[in-house]
């Protein structure tokens, strides 16, 4: 069966069907593909390069799970594509060897695939002219900002933000004519003390950029917490809004020594209804899981499980779905075999 599958993959992959090339991969590889491991982005491709040509170019560096050239509705190449390997090492090697290589007289860019929010975050860290400063003393004026920031270049505007009564909100902005001067001011002034106040100085961000940054910081915080307490850390959800860190610790402390306990909150400090509890041993964590999962607290039954990274959870759920689908398909296959007419003599 494996030989037949391999032959089908080799012969039929990228075969046109209803005007579009089909892409085939082993179903066992789906969970890896969903995790985005080993994913590579390629741009500035010649319009004549198709899926097959891209696959042949990159297959020298490892086993390819998925390969695609982006096309418009008419099937014309958009000049970029994606290749996913089954491991990060192959992806890194391909990037190292092929980035800057000339294919069909065009120099291509090959780099790691970034999700939209990661690309937006990267863009947010690009050059800027407007600088944000906070933790000002109440006596700091617009002229003070102009004088201090003016040491690094030409200032087009500088303002301390004030309320309706004219009282300082203790933050402000300085706009530079030159982006390099703005960057130098941030580097030199961030963390400096003025009037006994330590300033925070950084790029002035749009609301959307701040939200992206906060979301990435939150996701990174969750990932670090899970990694640090792998096998010891429990994820708890359906927490009542009134439950804080101390109350969560009190609920789980009968089952062992708690090394970390945190209720997750949004940027405004409002509970997200979930949190993490880490124990000193896996046995304590398992006991707490068995005892607390489904327990009514205030008015909600708690959901308690071992904490998982997002990509691990996605891969596990994908594998479970594949197994369920296989079981569901089995009776229909048997029924089809039973209902087929016998060969006539």
């Amino acid at each position: 069966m494996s030989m037949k599958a391999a032959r089908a993959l080799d012969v039929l992959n990228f075969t046109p069907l209803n005007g579009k090339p089909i892409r085939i991969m082993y179903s066992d590889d789906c969970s890896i593909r969903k995790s985005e491991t080993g994913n590579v982005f390629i741009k500035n491709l010649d319009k004549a390069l198709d899926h097959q040509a891209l696959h042949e170019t990159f297959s020298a560096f490892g086993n390819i799970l998925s390969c695609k050239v982006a096309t418009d509705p008419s099937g014309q190449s958009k000049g970029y594509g994606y290749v996913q390997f089954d491991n990060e090492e192959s992806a890194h090697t391909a990037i190292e060897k092929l980035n800057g290589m000339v294919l069909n007289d065009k120099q291509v860019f090959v780099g790691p695939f970034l999700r939209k929010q990661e690309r937006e975050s990267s863009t947010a860290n690009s050059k800027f002219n407007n600088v944000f400063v906070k933790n000002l003393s109440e006596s700091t004026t617009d002229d003070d900002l102009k004088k201090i920031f003016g040491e690094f270049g030409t200032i087009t505007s500088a303002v301390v933000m004030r309320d309706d009564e004219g009282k300082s909100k203790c933050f402000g902005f300085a706009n530079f004519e030159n982006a390099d001067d703005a960057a130098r001011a941030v580097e030199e002034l961030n963390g400096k003390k003025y009037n006994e106040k330590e300033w925070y100085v950084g790029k002035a961000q749009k609301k959307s950029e701040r939200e992206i940054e906060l979301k990435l910081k939150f996701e990174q915080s969750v990932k670090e917490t899970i990694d640090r307490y792998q096998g010891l850390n429990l994820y708890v959800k359906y927490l009542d809004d009134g439950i804080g860190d101390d109350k969560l610790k009190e609920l789980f402390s009968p089952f062992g020594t708690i090394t970390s306990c945190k209720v997750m909150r949004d940027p405004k400090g409002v509970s997200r209804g979930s949190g993490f509890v880490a124990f000193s041993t896996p046995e304590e964590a398992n006991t707490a899981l068995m005892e607390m999962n489904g327990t009514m607290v205030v008015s909600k039954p708690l959901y308690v499980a071992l904490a998982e990274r997002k990509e691990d959870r996605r891969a596990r759920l994908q594998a479970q779905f594949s197994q369920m689908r296989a079981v569901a398909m089995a009776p229909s296959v048997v029924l089809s075999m039973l209902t087929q007419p016998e060969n006539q003599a």
Side-chain angles (χ1 to χ4, degrees):
M1 179 64 74
S2 60
M3 292 181 62
K4 291 181 179 179
R7 176 165 170 72
L9 184 66
D10 184 52
V11 174
L12 297 178
N13 205 13
F14 308 118
T15 299
L17 181 64
N18 294 332
K20 294 183 178 181
I22 61 175
R23 291 188 295 143
I24 305 172
M25 64 183 295
Y26 289 104
S27 61
D28 292 343
D29 294 335
C30 286
S31 59
I32 302 175
R33 186 169 65 85
K34 293 289 185 182
S35 72
E36 297 179 354
T37 298
N39 218 349
V40 174
F41 173 67
I42 309 100
K43 68 178 180 180
N44 203 34
L45 290 170
D46 183 81
K47 297 295 179 71
L49 282 171
D50 59 9
H51 310 285
Q52 185 71 50
L54 194 65
H55 190 281
E56 290 174 356
T57 302
F58 280 81
S59 60
F61 302 98
N63 183 39
I64 293 176
L65 301 180
S66 179
C67 177
K68 177 183 179 181
V69 172
T71 58
D72 62 22
S74 67
Q76 179 73 21
S77 169
K78 291 184 177 181
Y80 65 90
Y82 309 90
V83 174
Q84 186 172 12
F85 292 93
D86 63 359
N87 64 81
E88 288 287 354
E89 186 178 350
S90 296
H92 290 155
T93 304
I95 292 170
E96 183 181 339
K97 298 293 184 183
L98 295 181
N99 186 35
M101 180 181 178
V102 176
L103 295 176
N104 283 19
D105 297 323
K106 296 192 74 171
Q107 187 176 37
V108 298
F109 166 83
V110 183
F113 168 75
L114 297 176
R115 290 176 294 179
K116 182 180 179 182
Q117 66 181 31
E118 294 171 329
R119 293 198 305 274
E120 290 175 341
S121 177
S122 177
T123 301
N125 292 325
S126 59
K127 287 193 172 185
F128 57 92
N129 294 73
N130 203 15
V131 173
F132 170 70
V133 54
K134 70 176 181 178
N135 204 30
L136 303 173
S137 70
E138 291 187 5
S139 62
T140 301
T141 65
D142 296 355
D143 289 338
D144 292 330
L145 290 188
K146 288 178 183 177
K147 181 180 178 180
I148 294 170
F149 283 94
E151 295 178 6
F152 300 93
T154 304
I155 301 290
T156 58
S157 67
V159 61
V160 174
M161 304 306 293
R162 301 182 181 278
D163 62 21
D164 295 337
E165 298 177 354
K167 184 178 179 181
S168 172
K169 292 184 177 181
C170 297
F171 71 88
F173 300 90
N175 196 73
F176 284 84
E177 189 175 90
N178 184 284
D180 292 335
D181 294 338
R184 196 157 54 89
V186 169
E187 185 176 345
E188 293 292 333
L189 295 178
N190 187 39
K192 286 286 183 67
K193 280 190 175 183
Y194 291 91
N195 295 333
E196 303 302 319
K197 294 277 191 173
E198 185 176 308
W199 281 12
Y200 167 83
V201 183
K203 175 193 171 185
Q205 295 177 305
K206 298 176 183 177
K207 183 179 179 181
S208 60
E209 293 173 341
R210 290 198 304 274
E211 288 174 346
I212 290 168
E213 183 177 329
L214 289 170
K215 183 178 180 182
L216 290 174
K217 284 182 178 178
F218 170 73
E219 290 179 350
Q220 182 63 26
S221 173
V222 171
K223 181 179 183 298
E224 289 175 355
T225 300
I226 293 173
D227 288 345
R228 190 182 308 122
Y229 300 107
Q230 193 68 39
L232 308 173
N233 200 15
L234 297 179
Y235 170 65
V236 186
K237 67 177 179 178
Y238 304 140
L239 293 172
D240 185 82
D241 291 344
I243 294 178
D245 296 350
D246 292 341
K247 181 60 178 178
L248 186 61
K249 186 173 183 178
E250 180 185 325
L251 289 170
F252 282 82
S253 58
F255 307 103
T257 302
I258 294 176
T259 58
S260 176
C261 182
K262 187 174 182 64
V263 173
M264 306 310 293
R265 301 183 179 278
D266 66 18
K268 295 181 180 179
V270 178
S271 171
R272 294 178 183 268
S274 62
F276 297 91
V277 180
F279 287 88
S280 60
T281 69
E283 291 76 19
E284 291 173 347
N286 189 57
T287 300
L289 188 159
M290 298 298 291
E291 294 293 333
M292 293 298 291
N293 187 36
T295 299
M296 292 290 294
V297 175
V298 186
S299 60
K300 300 178 182 179
L302 294 184
Y303 170 84
V304 184
L306 282 173
E308 296 177 289
R309 289 180 297 183
K310 184 186 292 185
E311 55 267 32
D312 293 339
R313 184 170 69 254
R314 184 186 293 139
R316 176 175 58 78
L317 291 173
Q318 180 66 32
Q320 288 178 351
F321 174 75
S322 297
Q323 290 175 352
M324 290 168 61
R325 185 173 58 180
V327 171
M329 289 174 63
S332 63
V333 173
V334 173
L335 180 61
S336 175
M337 293 174 64
L338 292 174
T339 56
Q340 284 182 359
E342 296 182 3
N343 293 332
Q344 299 297 317

